[in-house]
Amino acid sequence: DTAVSQTPKYLVTQMGNDKSIKCEQNLGHDTMYWYKQDSKKFLKIMFSYNNKELIINETVPNRFSPKSPDKAHLNLHINSLELGDSAVYFCASSQGDSRNTIYFGEGSWLTVV
Amino acid sequence: QQQVKQSPQSLIVQKGGISIINCAYENTAFDYFPWYQQFPGKGPALLIAIRPDVSEKKEGRFTISFNKSAKQFSLHIMDSQPGDSATYFCAASSSGETSGSRLTFGEGTQLTVNP
């Protein structure tokens, strides 16, 4: 069983569209994250949720809206997609804060054309 | 502001050699320093981590050396193997942030181990 699974793995869409990426973890963790990896492979945190509560919102445009229906799921919705949104988006989870092992999903490769 | 600086950007090592990747940090509140390994098409995975109460941690062929006064830490891969070819990220986190603990990553090092 995949510990952190996210769908879709690949997404190609046009500018201006709205898209969502879904994430689920079966590790029983209480903290979930979204990270963005750009074309230079730089990893940067976007959001962090603990027990469905938003605790980190890292200066991300409000076109990005995370939603956590329960502590095992953290979805990412993106409105009005722009070319600069093209990146790999990683969902991740940990038990407690980020000083414990963070488990990453395999990534969702978003290309905006 | 890049709080964790990593070098080199890329590294080529012969099989059996030692790979060394260095990181420097600025925030003295950081108290957890992991290294993550990422293979193409996969997410990063924790390789090894250290807390500042020790100066070295070894797990198999992988060793972290930590210098608190210099605010530097490094990853040493002994007897490097072609299967070690991947991107390596250092990172740092602290417990004292009021806005929630976050992991700050270095820029990454692309390691290639030639057979």
Side-chain angles (χ1 to χ4, degrees), chain B:
Chain B
Q1 180 185 11
Q2 182 59 34
Q3 293 197 60
V4 180
K5 294 188 177 180
Q6 182 173 347
S7 62
Q9 190 173 27
S10 64
L11 180 62
I12 299 175
V13 173
Q14 290 299 118
K15 179 181 175 182
I18 302 173
S19 304
I20 302 174
I21 305 170
N22 300 300
C23 282
Y25 62 96
E26 300 169 5
N27 187 348
T28 54
F30 285 149
D31 59 1
Y32 174 67
F33 303 90
W35 286 87
Y36 278 78
Q37 179 188 54
Q38 185 179 25
F39 292 106
K42 302 293 185 182
L46 180 67
L47 185 64
I48 186 173
I50 196 168
R51 298 185 193 270
D53 51 343
V54 296
S55 60
E56 184 175 284
K57 182 173 183 180
K58 183 176 181 179
E59 289 184 2
R61 297 185 293 110
F62 302 91
T63 300
I64 300 179
S65 297
F66 182 78
N67 185 329
K68 187 174 182 178
S69 60
K71 294 187 288 184
Q72 295 175 346
F73 58 111
S74 60
L75 177 69
H76 296 234
I77 306 175
M78 310 299 288
D79 187 26
S80 298
Q81 300 296 313
D84 296 331
S85 297
T87 302
Y88 291 81
F89 294 92
C90 64
S93 183
S94 73
S95 58
E97 295 183 65
T98 56
S99 58
S101 172
R102 69 199 65 205
L103 203 55
T104 299
F105 284 89
E107 302 96 324
T109 297
Q110 176 66 54
L111 171 66
T112 302
V113 181
N114 287 328

Side-chain angles (χ1 to χ4, degrees), chain A residues 85-102:
Chain A
D85 297 333
S86 296
V88 184
Y89 293 86
F90 286 100
C91 179
S93 73
S94 66
Q95 182 56 36
D97 67 27
S98 63
R99 290 169 300 134
N100 298 297
T101 303
I102 295 181

Side-chain angles (χ1 to χ4, degrees), chain A residues 15-61:
Chain A
M15 284 176 55
N17 283 351
D18 302 339
K19 290 295 177 185
S20 293
I21 306 172
K22 295 185 176 182
C23 178
E24 176 182 6
Q25 55 94 4
N26 63 7
L27 297 167
H29 290 165
D30 59 3
T31 304
M32 295 187 72
Y33 311 83
W34 278 108
Y35 277 84
K36 179 180 180 180
Q37 187 169 47
D38 63 22
S39 58
K40 295 185 178 180
K41 293 195 173 181
F42 185 64
L43 271 165
K44 185 169 168 50
I45 191 168
M46 300 175 67
F47 301 103
S48 173
Y49 271 74
N50 179 265
N51 284 316
K52 303 193 300 175
E53 181 184 349
L54 178 67
I55 56 173
I56 293 176
N57 182 341
E58 193 68 4
T59 60
V60 176

